Amino acid sequence: MTREELVSFALSLPEAVESAHHGTRDFRVRARIFLTMPEQDFCVVRLTPEQQHMVLAVSPQETTAVPGGWGLRGSTRLFYQLATDALVQDLVRRSWQNAAPKTLQRQFVVIPSP
């Protein structure tokens, strides 16, 4: 997936908007960040620690935990140019779901948590 395709997909999610935090491009749902783009070769998605553990085991070439405390809480680097479109879309949707308020989630089909 290209950077432009990732941006387009992120903005296609319900109520997603583009913003920036300390000069880093990010995407939010109701003011909560679900995706950041700190570097050209990866983005960061917001997963639960359990979701992160599973994806790191299944896709170790395409994902890695963010160093430090953020990574321990589930923040995950996604090397979207190496990953399949399906994996990128799945992780970005999960990240959106983790950030979206429950009232918004109920209006849309969401991915069941593992």
Side-chain angles (χ1 to χ4, degrees):
M1 179 174 284
T2 67
R3 189 172 183 83
E4 295 78 26
E5 290 169 332
L6 174 61
V7 168
S8 179
F9 180 72
L11 290 172
S12 75
L13 296 171
E15 296 190 29
V17 295
E18 185 173 344
S19 189
H21 183 69
H22 298 290
T24 299
R25 189 176 193 182
D26 68 41
F27 299 84
R28 301 167 187 239
V29 56
R30 295 203 183 161
R32 297 188 69 192
I33 297 171
F34 68 91
L35 175 73
T36 62
M37 299 182 80
E39 300 287 336
Q40 283 288 73
D41 59 342
F42 69 86
C43 63
V44 176
V45 290
R46 178 183 176 175
L47 303 178
T48 66
E50 295 79 18
Q51 290 168 336
Q52 181 192 65
H53 180 75
M54 184 174 64
V55 77
L56 294 178
V58 175
S59 302
Q61 300 296 95
E62 299 90 350
T63 59
T64 185
V66 169
W70 287 104
L72 293 174
R73 290 188 292 277
S75 290
T76 305
R77 288 181 178 170
L78 170 59
F79 297 90
Y80 56 90
Q81 294 173 343
L82 301 175
T84 65
D85 289 358
L87 177 63
V88 173
Q89 291 172 357
D90 177 58
L91 295 180
V92 173
R93 275 191 202 105
R94 286 182 190 277
S95 186
W96 176 91
Q97 180 179 336
N98 292 339
K102 299 291 184 218
T103 55
L104 181 59
Q105 288 182 33
R106 283 193 285 268
Q107 296 175 29
F108 301 95
V109 175
V110 294
I111 301 165
S113 296

